[in-house]
Amino acid sequence: MVHPLDIDQLRTLVAIADSGSFTRAADLVHKTQSAVSMQMRRLEERVGREVFSRAGRGVRLTDDGERLLDYARRIVRLQTECLATFDEGDLAGRVRLGLPDDYAERYLPEILARFSRVHPRAEVTVVCEPTDMLVSRIAQGDIDLAIVTETRQHGAIETIRTEALLWVASSRHRVHAQTPLPLALGRPHCVWRSAATAALERAGRASRVLFVSWSSTAVGAAVLAGLAVSVLPESALRPGMRTLSPAEGFPALPACRIGLMRHRAAEPLPLADALATQIRQSLSNLGAAAE
């Protein structure tokens, strides 16, 4: 393989895999659908393997295509970080980020690692609070950015990730069979708590809230100890937890939509722009999310 891979083709491959179709990918990479198809034919010729399965409708990657996609994501990510280092490497100062502690546990390591590599002179102040408190902080200008659970009550929020919201219990206990069902949930204004209790009421299943905390660590501890059932986004599942299905009496829950909020500052905030970009990229690189 003498000739190097074309990074533009790799970027298009990633767009196809993420969007699920050549048509939507064409919009994402600002090309015509025929140009996207031509790029993928040339990419297949370049690697000497079939990247897409031609059987049936829709877009499906072959095993070789999946292997190539993994490399493509890494190559595109490294190029983006490299260019950002030279384009914005002089950015310095402080940017303030808020997010709930459960999101901090899952997302913050990737976000901070990427951001600090590109902007080593920047300082990130992190505030961990529930979504409602973060929305107020954004409105008051106490923080520049917030990763929140998106709801209609919070106004305009940019959706950056969607995940399935799941019923979870300890894999070593049978607490989910108890009546009334013991629950470990967030505080009364928590949208996940409202979704869980409403779903159980519609299903006619008796329950009682046994543990209450806005800390995901505390809620997770109650679940792992076999004391209660809770609801968590798919990416928050931990070893020792199992999901509960409708066949076991646990009704389907609405999707968890994770959003990005920004304070409307009078002056442009390049550092906040840069962090917002890293947040979007980090969360999109965590793998497939629920539709």
Side-chain angles (χ1 to χ4, degrees):
M1 300 177 70
V2 178
H3 300 291
L5 292 168
D6 186 317
I7 195 161
D8 194 37
Q9 294 173 0
L10 297 179
R11 195 182 304 277
T12 299
L13 172 64
V14 172
I16 294 170
D18 289 344
S19 67
S21 80
F22 278 51
T23 302
R24 289 192 291 270
D27 292 335
L28 292 174
V29 298
H30 307 293
K31 298 181 185 297
T32 64
Q33 184 174 346
S34 60
V36 166
S37 298
M38 177 62 72
Q39 278 192 310
M40 293 303 96
R41 282 197 296 271
R42 289 176 176 171
L43 182 60
E44 288 183 321
E45 292 172 358
R46 177 67 195 87
V47 298
R49 304 289 179 89
E50 287 193 353
V51 174
F52 296 98
S53 172
R54 267 55 180 185
R57 300 181 62 182
V59 174
R60 293 189 60 183
L61 291 171
T62 63
D63 290 342
D64 289 324
E66 293 285 356
R67 290 168 54 202
L68 180 59
L69 176 63
D70 180 57
Y71 285 107
R73 290 190 188 281
R74 284 186 276 171
I75 292 169
V76 170
R77 182 169 67 247
L78 283 172
Q79 189 210 43
T80 300
E81 291 179 2
C82 176
L83 293 176
T85 298
F86 293 99
D87 290 343
E88 302 176 335
D90 291 334
L91 286 181
R94 182 169 71 105
V95 61
R96 301 163 298 176
L97 171 65
L99 68 173
D101 73 324
D102 46 351
Y103 292 169
E105 182 179 355
R106 302 199 303 281
Y107 306 142
L108 205 53
E110 171 75 6
I111 292 169
L112 293 182
R114 292 169 59 93
F115 189 70
S116 64
R117 286 198 299 269
V118 177
H119 307 288
R121 295 197 298 135
E123 173 190 331
V124 182
T125 298
V126 178
V127 175
C128 289
E129 289 179 348
T131 288
D132 285 347
M133 298 176 68
L134 295 173
V135 171
S136 297
R137 283 186 176 272
I138 284 285
Q140 295 165 8
D142 293 338
I143 54 178
D144 304 305
L145 298 164
I147 302 174
V148 299
T149 301
E150 183 180 347
T151 68
R152 293 178 181 176
Q153 291 84 357
H154 297 147
I157 299 177
E158 176 191 354
T159 302
I160 53 177
R161 186 173 177 84
T162 303
E163 295 189 16
L165 187 62
L166 304 171
W167 295 98
V168 296
S170 167
S171 60
R172 298 185 297 108
H173 302 83
R174 290 189 52 78
V175 64
H176 59 283
Q178 293 183 20
T179 302
L181 179 71
L183 299 172
L185 299 170
R187 296 193 176 187
H189 58 265
C190 173
V191 294
W192 298 347
R193 172 173 173 161
S194 299
T197 54
L200 291 174
E201 288 176 6
R202 288 193 300 269
R205 180 157 189 181
S207 64
R208 62 189 180 106
V209 179
L210 189 62
F211 293 93
V212 177
S213 178
W214 69 24
S215 167
S216 64
T217 302
V219 170
V223 171
L224 291 171
L227 301 175
V229 169
S230 189
V231 291
L232 291 174
E234 188 173 11
S235 68
L237 295 178
R238 305 178 191 173
M241 290 181 179
R242 57 162 294 199
T243 60
L244 302 166
S245 66
E248 297 170 283
F250 291 87
L253 295 165
C256 170
R257 299 189 182 278
I258 301 164
L260 181 65
M261 295 191 74
R262 294 196 55 173
H263 173 61
R264 296 182 179 275
E267 297 292 332
L269 296 174
L271 205 53
D273 293 339
L275 180 55
T277 297
Q278 293 293 351
I279 289 170
R280 296 185 192 100
Q281 292 175 353
S282 295
L283 267 64
S284 67
N285 287 334
L286 288 175
E291 294 296 335

